Each structure stands twice: as structure tokens, then as C-alpha cells.
Amino acid sequence: MSSTTFSHYRQVCLLFRSPMEKENPAALSQKLDHSVEGKIKTRQPYGSHLEKAKPRSLVNLCIGVLGEHLEDIIPDLAEIAACFPPLVKITMAAIARRRKLLNDDVLISLAESSWDILDVSGSDVSDHGLARVAEKCKSLRAVDISQCSKISEQGVSELVQHCHLLEILRCGGCPKSENTARRCLRILKPKLNYVEEDSWEELDSMKIAKGAQSLRWLVWPKIDDDRKKKLAAECPRIIVNPKPSPIGFRGLEVPFEALPDIALDDPIVKDIDPTIWPVCAVASSVSIPSVSLSHNEISMAERFRLAFVERDARLAPKRAKNVRQHQRRENRDWVTKSTDAKSVALAAQLRKSLHID
């Protein structure tokens, strides 16, 4: 990235701090943490349809600009995001996931210890990235790893080992993720360790039990009946696939993070312009055959069609990136070669200087 481009992004970063530039760093950090908590932990991610639409804030508009050109700043994302507050970082991660750009490097560059939710569903995040984030974000309360073909039993084990406050886990959604969910049930169920002490007073709290001690809600839409009944018998406090109810579920209020119809990071990008991630619409149109279907039950023509659709969806982000790069190149050539463009640019600079004076 050139020095001019990097300077431009540094100026955009300052916009995130300008409304609070008179506050001291400690007060600013505390205020941002409260903002993140209120933004993520809200129980109703969507406002009433009767509420009047409000204009987007300057911060959200700037985040939208950065998200629209995210692929251009990914090589320097770790350095650029160093001055971002936690709320901006988690919003950038949500945009990267929707634009099919979220991988280990992007997630690790944006991870903040104050995060309490993590949505990497349908991304290229692997066991390595999940483990690194789990080590840093030990306060994670809700995690979505559904449709992540690169996350295995090892990554879930690291998540459970570091994040003792984990209450909600979403999994499954694709063949590899379904297999990971089946293999991880033994990890998620809390159980007592074997100890040799003679009395309870001699036991250390870390030796008493292992597993997902705080897990209460498991969202696994395709769990089979046998595993669901076995999990209910061995660990009844883990509720599988809860449904919203006005009186709650088993006397408990079902958090929106445990509802599969709502994306875990939807409240974070609620005020961001959705037109910046058009790839999401292409990816959602891909139909994945049911896991229960046998390989021989799919005709040869259907296999070719599914392979073409999958390849088209995989190449869609690259095509969109090429279109944007070509458009920017044309605009840059027009500015450098057209006398009208130079006149407009000089007039804008003159007007700005007169306004400042």
C-alpha cells in the first residue's frame, strides 16, 4: 500500500475518534466497551417496523467505505486496524464474513479481548485462527462455527478450553461441519475428572470438571434424534435447537443468539449499508443437497449443475473485485487525462482553500 493511500486510511481512522477527542484514553476505552456490550447483547436486534428510519452516522458511513474496499487493505489490515476501537473491529469482521473475505489472517488482525460474540459461519477460518482468537477473546459468550469446513474437533477443543463463559454454540450446516459437530459432543458435555485427593477440601477447581461448563444452548439444526436424546439424558441443561416462545423455554428466556433464523452478527451491521456486500446474495442462492442423500441418487446432470453453481459462487468475489478495480482504474485515467476532470479538481481545491480562509 502506498504512503498516500495509507495516509488516507489514517485520516478515516481519526473520524472514529473525533467526537470524543477531548476525553482521556481511559474514559474513551470504558465508553467504547459499554458501547460494544450494549450493541452485542441486545435481546431485540431489530427495531419496530413503525419506528422512523434514522440517517446513518458518520462513523457507520466510514465503516461502510472501508468495508466496500476491504480486499484492498487486507495486506495491511493489522497495521490499519491497530487504531480502531473494538466496535469498529467487530463490525469489519462481520462485513468481511458477508463478503466472503474472512479468514485466519483477517480474523486475527481484528480480534479484540472485549468481544463476547464471534460469528465465523461460512468463512475460511480454520482451527488455527479459531484457537488464536479463543486465546485472546476469553470472554466469548456466543460462537457460530456453522458451515466452516476448515474447523475440526481440534479447533472446538481449543475454544472450550479457553472460553469458560461460552453459553451458545452454533454448528453444522455442511457435510464437514456436521461431522465435526458429531465428533465434538463428547467435548461439549461437562464431566468430572478423576482425582486422587481424599476430601473435597483438597480439590482444586480446575481439577473438578472439564468440558463446556457454561454451555446452555446448542444450535445444530440437523442433529439426529438418537444423539439429541442421548445428550438430553446425559446433560439435560444443554438445550438443543430452542424455539422462541412468549413464556420462554423450560422457564428460561431464549436469547436471540440461540435462534437459527437470525445471524449472530446481525445487530452489529444493522446500521451499515447492505449494498457493500453483494456477494452474499450470490452465495445464498447455492443449494446444497441433503447429507442423507446417497451419492448414487444424484444424476450426472445434477452433479455437473451443482459443480457449476459451486464454482460460480466461489469465483463471484473475484469477479466483483475485478469489476471494482477496473472501474477505479478508469476513473483514475479519466482524472489524469481529461482537462474537464482537472478543472473540476482544481476548482474543488480552490473552493476548499477559500472556505478555510
Side-chain angles (χ1 to χ4, degrees), residues 270-304:
K270 182 178 62 174
D271 297 327
I272 307 297
D273 186 5
T275 59
I276 67 175
W277 51 79
V279 178
C280 183
V282 177
S284 61
S285 63
V286 181
S287 58
I288 302 177
S290 175
V291 183
S292 60
L293 292 178
S294 173
H295 183 70
N296 297 327
E297 295 179 3
I298 305 177
S299 64
M300 184 62 68
E302 182 66 12
R303 294 179 201 170
F304 275 109

PDB file of all heavy atoms in Angstrom, residues 270-304:
ATOM      1  N   LYS A 270     -26.382  -3.688  11.618  1.00  0.00           N
ATOM      2  CA  LYS A 270     -27.744  -3.228  11.359  1.00  0.00           C
ATOM      3  C   LYS A 270     -27.758  -1.854  10.708  1.00  0.00           C
ATOM      4  O   LYS A 270     -28.615  -1.573   9.862  1.00  0.00           O
ATOM      5  CB  LYS A 270     -28.520  -3.198  12.675  1.00  0.00           C
ATOM      6  CG  LYS A 270     -29.978  -2.787  12.526  1.00  0.00           C
ATOM      7  CD  LYS A 270     -30.703  -2.817  13.850  1.00  0.00           C
ATOM      8  CE  LYS A 270     -30.110  -1.833  14.835  1.00  0.00           C
ATOM      9  NZ  LYS A 270     -30.900  -1.742  16.094  1.00  0.00           N
ATOM     10  N   ASP A 271     -26.824  -0.981  11.063  1.00  0.00           N
ATOM     11  CA  ASP A 271     -26.805   0.386  10.553  1.00  0.00           C
ATOM     12  C   ASP A 271     -25.804   0.593   9.425  1.00  0.00           C
ATOM     13  O   ASP A 271     -25.503   1.728   9.062  1.00  0.00           O
ATOM     14  CB  ASP A 271     -26.491   1.361  11.694  1.00  0.00           C
ATOM     15  CG  ASP A 271     -27.558   1.335  12.769  1.00  0.00           C
ATOM     16  OD1 ASP A 271     -28.726   1.127  12.430  1.00  0.00           O
ATOM     17  OD2 ASP A 271     -27.214   1.516  13.956  1.00  0.00           O
ATOM     18  N   ILE A 272     -25.261  -0.503   8.873  1.00  0.00           N
ATOM     19  CA  ILE A 272     -24.323  -0.417   7.754  1.00  0.00           C
ATOM     20  C   ILE A 272     -25.082  -0.685   6.455  1.00  0.00           C
ATOM     21  O   ILE A 272     -25.960  -1.538   6.401  1.00  0.00           O
ATOM     22  CB  ILE A 272     -23.173  -1.422   7.917  1.00  0.00           C
ATOM     23  CG1 ILE A 272     -22.502  -1.259   9.291  1.00  0.00           C
ATOM     24  CG2 ILE A 272     -22.138  -1.256   6.820  1.00  0.00           C
ATOM     25  CD1 ILE A 272     -21.854   0.079   9.509  1.00  0.00           C
ATOM     26  N   ASP A 273     -24.727   0.058   5.411  1.00  0.00           N
ATOM     27  CA  ASP A 273     -25.375  -0.091   4.117  1.00  0.00           C
ATOM     28  C   ASP A 273     -25.163  -1.514   3.586  1.00  0.00           C
ATOM     29  O   ASP A 273     -24.026  -1.922   3.342  1.00  0.00           O
ATOM     30  CB  ASP A 273     -24.800   0.930   3.128  1.00  0.00           C
ATOM     31  CG  ASP A 273     -25.536   0.914   1.796  1.00  0.00           C
ATOM     32  OD1 ASP A 273     -26.536   0.190   1.680  1.00  0.00           O
ATOM     33  OD2 ASP A 273     -25.112   1.640   0.876  1.00  0.00           O
ATOM     34  N   PRO A 274     -26.227  -2.303   3.388  1.00  0.00           N
ATOM     35  CA  PRO A 274     -26.053  -3.701   2.954  1.00  0.00           C
ATOM     36  C   PRO A 274     -25.616  -3.847   1.508  1.00  0.00           C
ATOM     37  O   PRO A 274     -25.276  -4.958   1.089  1.00  0.00           O
ATOM     38  CB  PRO A 274     -27.450  -4.311   3.168  1.00  0.00           C
ATOM     39  CG  PRO A 274     -28.384  -3.165   3.056  1.00  0.00           C
ATOM     40  CD  PRO A 274     -27.647  -1.975   3.611  1.00  0.00           C
ATOM     41  N   THR A 275     -25.617  -2.776   0.732  1.00  0.00           N
ATOM     42  CA  THR A 275     -25.220  -2.892  -0.673  1.00  0.00           C
ATOM     43  C   THR A 275     -23.714  -3.097  -0.839  1.00  0.00           C
ATOM     44  O   THR A 275     -23.260  -3.343  -1.962  1.00  0.00           O
ATOM     45  CB  THR A 275     -25.630  -1.627  -1.447  1.00  0.00           C
ATOM     46  OG1 THR A 275     -25.007  -0.477  -0.854  1.00  0.00           O
ATOM     47  CG2 THR A 275     -27.138  -1.453  -1.405  1.00  0.00           C
ATOM     48  N   ILE A 276     -22.952  -3.025   0.257  1.00  0.00           N
ATOM     49  CA  ILE A 276     -21.495  -3.177   0.125  1.00  0.00           C
ATOM     50  C   ILE A 276     -21.081  -4.636   0.110  1.00  0.00           C
ATOM     51  O   ILE A 276     -19.913  -4.948  -0.097  1.00  0.00           O
ATOM     52  CB  ILE A 276     -20.745  -2.440   1.252  1.00  0.00           C
ATOM     53  CG1 ILE A 276     -21.013  -3.106   2.603  1.00  0.00           C
ATOM     54  CG2 ILE A 276     -21.119  -0.984   1.279  1.00  0.00           C
ATOM     55  CD1 ILE A 276     -20.216  -2.516   3.721  1.00  0.00           C
ATOM     56  N   TRP A 277     -22.023  -5.578   0.366  1.00  0.00           N
ATOM     57  CA  TRP A 277     -21.655  -7.000   0.292  1.00  0.00           C
ATOM     58  C   TRP A 277     -22.611  -7.733  -0.648  1.00  0.00           C
ATOM     59  O   TRP A 277     -23.372  -8.606  -0.245  1.00  0.00           O
ATOM     60  CB  TRP A 277     -21.619  -7.668   1.664  1.00  0.00           C
ATOM     61  CG  TRP A 277     -22.840  -7.479   2.519  1.00  0.00           C
ATOM     62  CD1 TRP A 277     -24.028  -8.116   2.441  1.00  0.00           C
ATOM     63  CD2 TRP A 277     -22.954  -6.595   3.633  1.00  0.00           C
ATOM     64  NE1 TRP A 277     -24.882  -7.693   3.403  1.00  0.00           N
ATOM     65  CE2 TRP A 277     -24.259  -6.754   4.168  1.00  0.00           C
ATOM     66  CE3 TRP A 277     -22.097  -5.671   4.242  1.00  0.00           C
ATOM     67  CZ2 TRP A 277     -24.705  -6.032   5.263  1.00  0.00           C
ATOM     68  CZ3 TRP A 277     -22.550  -4.961   5.325  1.00  0.00           C
ATOM     69  CH2 TRP A 277     -23.833  -5.143   5.820  1.00  0.00           C
ATOM     70  N   PRO A 278     -22.566  -7.408  -1.965  1.00  0.00           N
ATOM     71  CA  PRO A 278     -23.477  -8.072  -2.904  1.00  0.00           C
ATOM     72  C   PRO A 278     -23.183  -9.547  -3.086  1.00  0.00           C
ATOM     73  O   PRO A 278     -24.025 -10.283  -3.585  1.00  0.00           O
ATOM     74  CB  PRO A 278     -23.245  -7.302  -4.216  1.00  0.00           C
ATOM     75  CG  PRO A 278     -21.851  -6.774  -4.094  1.00  0.00           C
ATOM     76  CD  PRO A 278     -21.686  -6.447  -2.632  1.00  0.00           C
ATOM     77  N   VAL A 279     -21.976 -10.000  -2.683  1.00  0.00           N
ATOM     78  CA  VAL A 279     -21.619 -11.401  -2.852  1.00  0.00           C
ATOM     79  C   VAL A 279     -22.519 -12.292  -2.017  1.00  0.00           C
ATOM     80  O   VAL A 279     -22.776 -13.436  -2.358  1.00  0.00           O
ATOM     81  CB  VAL A 279     -20.138 -11.616  -2.467  1.00  0.00           C
ATOM     82  CG1 VAL A 279     -19.752 -13.078  -2.587  1.00  0.00           C
ATOM     83  CG2 VAL A 279     -19.263 -10.777  -3.368  1.00  0.00           C
ATOM     84  N   CYS A 280     -23.051 -11.754  -0.907  1.00  0.00           N
ATOM     85  CA  CYS A 280     -23.877 -12.547  -0.008  1.00  0.00           C
ATOM     86  C   CYS A 280     -25.093 -13.099  -0.724  1.00  0.00           C
ATOM     87  O   CYS A 280     -25.505 -14.225  -0.498  1.00  0.00           O
ATOM     88  CB  CYS A 280     -24.313 -11.700   1.190  1.00  0.00           C
ATOM     89  SG  CYS A 280     -25.261 -12.591   2.433  1.00  0.00           S
ATOM     90  N   ALA A 281     -25.714 -12.298  -1.629  1.00  0.00           N
ATOM     91  CA  ALA A 281     -26.898 -12.753  -2.325  1.00  0.00           C
ATOM     92  C   ALA A 281     -26.589 -13.901  -3.271  1.00  0.00           C
ATOM     93  O   ALA A 281     -27.379 -14.810  -3.464  1.00  0.00           O
ATOM     94  CB  ALA A 281     -27.528 -11.593  -3.108  1.00  0.00           C
ATOM     95  N   VAL A 282     -25.384 -13.882  -3.864  1.00  0.00           N
ATOM     96  CA  VAL A 282     -24.998 -14.962  -4.768  1.00  0.00           C
ATOM     97  C   VAL A 282     -24.778 -16.244  -4.004  1.00  0.00           C
ATOM     98  O   VAL A 282     -25.190 -17.325  -4.384  1.00  0.00           O
ATOM     99  CB  VAL A 282     -23.720 -14.570  -5.547  1.00  0.00           C
ATOM    100  CG1 VAL A 282     -23.266 -15.702  -6.438  1.00  0.00           C
ATOM    101  CG2 VAL A 282     -23.987 -13.317  -6.363  1.00  0.00           C
ATOM    102  N   ALA A 283     -24.097 -16.125  -2.837  1.00  0.00           N
ATOM    103  CA  ALA A 283     -23.784 -17.315  -2.065  1.00  0.00           C
ATOM    104  C   ALA A 283     -25.030 -17.967  -1.495  1.00  0.00           C
ATOM    105  O   ALA A 283     -25.099 -19.175  -1.356  1.00  0.00           O
ATOM    106  CB  ALA A 283     -22.826 -16.957  -0.934  1.00  0.00           C
ATOM    107  N   SER A 284     -26.052 -17.154  -1.132  1.00  0.00           N
ATOM    108  CA  SER A 284     -27.236 -17.726  -0.531  1.00  0.00           C
ATOM    109  C   SER A 284     -28.077 -18.505  -1.513  1.00  0.00           C
ATOM    110  O   SER A 284     -28.942 -19.269  -1.123  1.00  0.00           O
ATOM    111  CB  SER A 284     -28.084 -16.598   0.077  1.00  0.00           C
ATOM    112  OG  SER A 284     -28.496 -15.694  -0.940  1.00  0.00           O
ATOM    113  N   SER A 285     -27.867 -18.297  -2.836  1.00  0.00           N
ATOM    114  CA  SER A 285     -28.665 -18.990  -3.829  1.00  0.00           C
ATOM    115  C   SER A 285     -28.152 -20.382  -4.123  1.00  0.00           C
ATOM    116  O   SER A 285     -28.766 -21.126  -4.867  1.00  0.00           O
ATOM    117  CB  SER A 285     -28.689 -18.178  -5.131  1.00  0.00           C
ATOM    118  OG  SER A 285     -27.376 -18.062  -5.665  1.00  0.00           O
ATOM    119  N   VAL A 286     -27.000 -20.745  -3.571  1.00  0.00           N
ATOM    120  CA  VAL A 286     -26.436 -22.059  -3.806  1.00  0.00           C
ATOM    121  C   VAL A 286     -27.176 -23.079  -2.970  1.00  0.00           C
ATOM    122  O   VAL A 286     -27.277 -22.944  -1.761  1.00  0.00           O
ATOM    123  CB  VAL A 286     -24.927 -22.081  -3.467  1.00  0.00           C
ATOM    124  CG1 VAL A 286     -24.365 -23.457  -3.739  1.00  0.00           C
ATOM    125  CG2 VAL A 286     -24.194 -21.035  -4.284  1.00  0.00           C
ATOM    126  N   SER A 287     -27.707 -24.095  -3.606  1.00  0.00           N
ATOM    127  CA  SER A 287     -28.441 -25.129  -2.879  1.00  0.00           C
ATOM    128  C   SER A 287     -27.540 -26.323  -2.658  1.00  0.00           C
ATOM    129  O   SER A 287     -26.973 -26.877  -3.605  1.00  0.00           O
ATOM    130  CB  SER A 287     -29.691 -25.544  -3.662  1.00  0.00           C
ATOM    131  OG  SER A 287     -29.330 -26.023  -4.948  1.00  0.00           O
ATOM    132  N   ILE A 288     -27.404 -26.748  -1.417  1.00  0.00           N
ATOM    133  CA  ILE A 288     -26.566 -27.884  -1.052  1.00  0.00           C
ATOM    134  C   ILE A 288     -27.457 -29.092  -0.855  1.00  0.00           C
ATOM    135  O   ILE A 288     -28.431 -29.036  -0.098  1.00  0.00           O
ATOM    136  CB  ILE A 288     -25.777 -27.595   0.231  1.00  0.00           C
ATOM    137  CG1 ILE A 288     -24.922 -26.356   0.034  1.00  0.00           C
ATOM    138  CG2 ILE A 288     -24.912 -28.778   0.622  1.00  0.00           C
ATOM    139  CD1 ILE A 288     -24.164 -25.937   1.262  1.00  0.00           C
ATOM    140  N   PRO A 289     -27.196 -30.211  -1.515  1.00  0.00           N
ATOM    141  CA  PRO A 289     -28.047 -31.379  -1.345  1.00  0.00           C
ATOM    142  C   PRO A 289     -27.976 -31.901   0.068  1.00  0.00           C
ATOM    143  O   PRO A 289     -26.976 -31.743   0.766  1.00  0.00           O
ATOM    144  CB  PRO A 289     -27.457 -32.395  -2.356  1.00  0.00           C
ATOM    145  CG  PRO A 289     -26.055 -31.941  -2.582  1.00  0.00           C
ATOM    146  CD  PRO A 289     -26.078 -30.442  -2.441  1.00  0.00           C
ATOM    147  N   SER A 290     -29.047 -32.513   0.509  1.00  0.00           N
ATOM    148  CA  SER A 290     -29.121 -33.035   1.870  1.00  0.00           C
ATOM    149  C   SER A 290     -28.066 -34.102   2.083  1.00  0.00           C
ATOM    150  O   SER A 290     -27.738 -34.891   1.178  1.00  0.00           O
ATOM    151  CB  SER A 290     -30.514 -33.610   2.142  1.00  0.00           C
ATOM    152  OG  SER A 290     -30.548 -34.200   3.404  1.00  0.00           O
ATOM    153  N   VAL A 291     -27.529 -34.163   3.290  1.00  0.00           N
ATOM    154  CA  VAL A 291     -26.490 -35.138   3.607  1.00  0.00           C
ATOM    155  C   VAL A 291     -27.030 -36.548   3.550  1.00  0.00           C
ATOM    156  O   VAL A 291     -26.315 -37.509   3.284  1.00  0.00           O
ATOM    157  CB  VAL A 291     -25.912 -34.841   5.005  1.00  0.00           C
ATOM    158  CG1 VAL A 291     -24.777 -35.793   5.330  1.00  0.00           C
ATOM    159  CG2 VAL A 291     -25.423 -33.410   5.060  1.00  0.00           C
ATOM    160  N   SER A 292     -28.336 -36.698   3.794  1.00  0.00           N
ATOM    161  CA  SER A 292     -28.922 -38.023   3.834  1.00  0.00           C
ATOM    162  C   SER A 292     -29.019 -38.664   2.459  1.00  0.00           C
ATOM    163  O   SER A 292     -29.238 -39.859   2.331  1.00  0.00           O
ATOM    164  CB  SER A 292     -30.320 -37.951   4.458  1.00  0.00           C
ATOM    165  OG  SER A 292     -31.153 -37.097   3.687  1.00  0.00           O
ATOM    166  N   LEU A 293     -28.892 -37.856   1.367  1.00  0.00           N
ATOM    167  CA  LEU A 293     -28.981 -38.402   0.022  1.00  0.00           C
ATOM    168  C   LEU A 293     -27.747 -39.219  -0.305  1.00  0.00           C
ATOM    169  O   LEU A 293     -26.621 -38.843   0.014  1.00  0.00           O
ATOM    170  CB  LEU A 293     -29.126 -37.272  -1.005  1.00  0.00           C
ATOM    171  CG  LEU A 293     -30.455 -36.496  -0.968  1.00  0.00           C
ATOM    172  CD1 LEU A 293     -30.413 -35.384  -1.996  1.00  0.00           C
ATOM    173  CD2 LEU A 293     -31.629 -37.425  -1.241  1.00  0.00           C
ATOM    174  N   SER A 294     -27.936 -40.323  -0.959  1.00  0.00           N
ATOM    175  CA  SER A 294     -26.821 -41.156  -1.374  1.00  0.00           C
ATOM    176  C   SER A 294     -26.189 -40.560  -2.618  1.00  0.00           C
ATOM    177  O   SER A 294     -26.839 -39.859  -3.406  1.00  0.00           O
ATOM    178  CB  SER A 294     -27.311 -42.584  -1.656  1.00  0.00           C
ATOM    179  OG  SER A 294     -26.277 -43.363  -2.215  1.00  0.00           O
ATOM    180  N   HIS A 295     -24.916 -40.869  -2.825  1.00  0.00           N
ATOM    181  CA  HIS A 295     -24.202 -40.335  -3.985  1.00  0.00           C
ATOM    182  C   HIS A 295     -24.814 -40.839  -5.283  1.00  0.00           C
ATOM    183  O   HIS A 295     -24.812 -40.152  -6.302  1.00  0.00           O
ATOM    184  CB  HIS A 295     -22.727 -40.724  -3.899  1.00  0.00           C
ATOM    185  CG  HIS A 295     -21.884 -40.157  -5.009  1.00  0.00           C
ATOM    186  ND1 HIS A 295     -21.586 -38.816  -5.102  1.00  0.00           N
ATOM    187  CD2 HIS A 295     -21.316 -40.752  -6.093  1.00  0.00           C
ATOM    188  CE1 HIS A 295     -20.834 -38.602  -6.176  1.00  0.00           C
ATOM    189  NE2 HIS A 295     -20.673 -39.758  -6.799  1.00  0.00           N
ATOM    190  N   ASN A 296     -25.345 -42.065  -5.286  1.00  0.00           N
ATOM    191  CA  ASN A 296     -25.916 -42.641  -6.488  1.00  0.00           C
ATOM    192  C   ASN A 296     -27.302 -42.081  -6.806  1.00  0.00           C
ATOM    193  O   ASN A 296     -27.811 -42.279  -7.903  1.00  0.00           O
ATOM    194  CB  ASN A 296     -25.995 -44.163  -6.344  1.00  0.00           C
ATOM    195  CG  ASN A 296     -24.615 -44.796  -6.199  1.00  0.00           C
ATOM    196  OD1 ASN A 296     -23.653 -44.297  -6.779  1.00  0.00           O
ATOM    197  ND2 ASN A 296     -24.525 -45.872  -5.437  1.00  0.00           N
ATOM    198  N   GLU A 297     -27.960 -41.432  -5.849  1.00  0.00           N
ATOM    199  CA  GLU A 297     -29.295 -40.897  -6.084  1.00  0.00           C
ATOM    200  C   GLU A 297     -29.272 -39.603  -6.886  1.00  0.00           C
ATOM    201  O   GLU A 297     -30.311 -39.151  -7.352  1.00  0.00           O
ATOM    202  CB  GLU A 297     -29.995 -40.660  -4.748  1.00  0.00           C
ATOM    203  CG  GLU A 297     -30.260 -41.944  -3.974  1.00  0.00           C
ATOM    204  CD  GLU A 297     -30.922 -41.655  -2.640  1.00  0.00           C
ATOM    205  OE1 GLU A 297     -31.214 -40.474  -2.375  1.00  0.00           O
ATOM    206  OE2 GLU A 297     -31.147 -42.604  -1.868  1.00  0.00           O
ATOM    207  N   ILE A 298     -28.113 -38.970  -7.037  1.00  0.00           N
ATOM    208  CA  ILE A 298     -27.992 -37.719  -7.791  1.00  0.00           C
ATOM    209  C   ILE A 298     -27.553 -38.049  -9.205  1.00  0.00           C
ATOM    210  O   ILE A 298     -26.549 -38.740  -9.417  1.00  0.00           O
ATOM    211  CB  ILE A 298     -26.986 -36.767  -7.128  1.00  0.00           C
ATOM    212  CG1 ILE A 298     -27.370 -36.522  -5.668  1.00  0.00           C
ATOM    213  CG2 ILE A 298     -26.901 -35.459  -7.878  1.00  0.00           C
ATOM    214  CD1 ILE A 298     -26.397 -35.657  -4.922  1.00  0.00           C
ATOM    215  N   SER A 299     -28.298 -37.561 -10.161  1.00  0.00           N
ATOM    216  CA  SER A 299     -27.973 -37.841 -11.551  1.00  0.00           C
ATOM    217  C   SER A 299     -26.685 -37.132 -11.964  1.00  0.00           C
ATOM    218  O   SER A 299     -26.242 -36.188 -11.317  1.00  0.00           O
ATOM    219  CB  SER A 299     -29.129 -37.410 -12.458  1.00  0.00           C
ATOM    220  OG  SER A 299     -29.304 -36.003 -12.379  1.00  0.00           O
ATOM    221  N   MET A 300     -26.124 -37.595 -13.082  1.00  0.00           N
ATOM    222  CA  MET A 300     -24.885 -36.995 -13.573  1.00  0.00           C
ATOM    223  C   MET A 300     -25.095 -35.534 -13.958  1.00  0.00           C
ATOM    224  O   MET A 300     -24.245 -34.673 -13.682  1.00  0.00           O
ATOM    225  CB  MET A 300     -24.374 -37.792 -14.778  1.00  0.00           C
ATOM    226  CG  MET A 300     -23.037 -37.313 -15.322  1.00  0.00           C
ATOM    227  SD  MET A 300     -21.709 -37.468 -14.110  1.00  0.00           S
ATOM    228  CE  MET A 300     -21.584 -39.257 -14.018  1.00  0.00           C
ATOM    229  N   ALA A 301     -26.241 -35.232 -14.595  1.00  0.00           N
ATOM    230  CA  ALA A 301     -26.519 -33.848 -14.981  1.00  0.00           C
ATOM    231  C   ALA A 301     -26.635 -32.950 -13.754  1.00  0.00           C
ATOM    232  O   ALA A 301     -26.162 -31.809 -13.759  1.00  0.00           O
ATOM    233  CB  ALA A 301     -27.810 -33.789 -15.807  1.00  0.00           C
ATOM    234  N   GLU A 302     -27.259 -33.462 -12.677  1.00  0.00           N
ATOM    235  CA  GLU A 302     -27.397 -32.673 -11.459  1.00  0.00           C
ATOM    236  C   GLU A 302     -26.038 -32.436 -10.808  1.00  0.00           C
ATOM    237  O   GLU A 302     -25.777 -31.365 -10.254  1.00  0.00           O
ATOM    238  CB  GLU A 302     -28.329 -33.381 -10.487  1.00  0.00           C
ATOM    239  CG  GLU A 302     -28.585 -32.633  -9.188  1.00  0.00           C
ATOM    240  CD  GLU A 302     -29.347 -31.339  -9.394  1.00  0.00           C
ATOM    241  OE1 GLU A 302     -29.870 -31.125 -10.511  1.00  0.00           O
ATOM    242  OE2 GLU A 302     -29.417 -30.546  -8.451  1.00  0.00           O
ATOM    243  N   ARG A 303     -25.153 -33.428 -10.876  1.00  0.00           N
ATOM    244  CA  ARG A 303     -23.806 -33.244 -10.314  1.00  0.00           C
ATOM    245  C   ARG A 303     -23.057 -32.140 -11.058  1.00  0.00           C
ATOM    246  O   ARG A 303     -22.378 -31.306 -10.440  1.00  0.00           O
ATOM    247  CB  ARG A 303     -23.019 -34.557 -10.416  1.00  0.00           C
ATOM    248  CG  ARG A 303     -23.574 -35.684  -9.562  1.00  0.00           C
ATOM    249  CD  ARG A 303     -22.744 -36.934  -9.759  1.00  0.00           C
ATOM    250  NE  ARG A 303     -23.496 -38.116  -9.379  1.00  0.00           N
ATOM    251  CZ  ARG A 303     -23.093 -39.360  -9.632  1.00  0.00           C
ATOM    252  NH1 ARG A 303     -21.950 -39.566 -10.268  1.00  0.00           N
ATOM    253  NH2 ARG A 303     -23.829 -40.388  -9.257  1.00  0.00           N
ATOM    254  N   PHE A 304     -23.157 -32.142 -12.405  1.00  0.00           N
ATOM    255  CA  PHE A 304     -22.499 -31.100 -13.179  1.00  0.00           C
ATOM    256  C   PHE A 304     -23.095 -29.734 -12.846  1.00  0.00           C
ATOM    257  O   PHE A 304     -22.387 -28.735 -12.752  1.00  0.00           O
ATOM    258  CB  PHE A 304     -22.631 -31.384 -14.679  1.00  0.00           C
ATOM    259  CG  PHE A 304     -21.583 -32.319 -15.210  1.00  0.00           C
ATOM    260  CD1 PHE A 304     -21.903 -33.606 -15.586  1.00  0.00           C
ATOM    261  CD2 PHE A 304     -20.263 -31.903 -15.324  1.00  0.00           C
ATOM    262  CE1 PHE A 304     -20.939 -34.468 -16.071  1.00  0.00           C
ATOM    263  CE2 PHE A 304     -19.289 -32.770 -15.801  1.00  0.00           C
ATOM    264  CZ  PHE A 304     -19.625 -34.060 -16.176  1.00  0.00           C
TER     265      PHE A 304
END
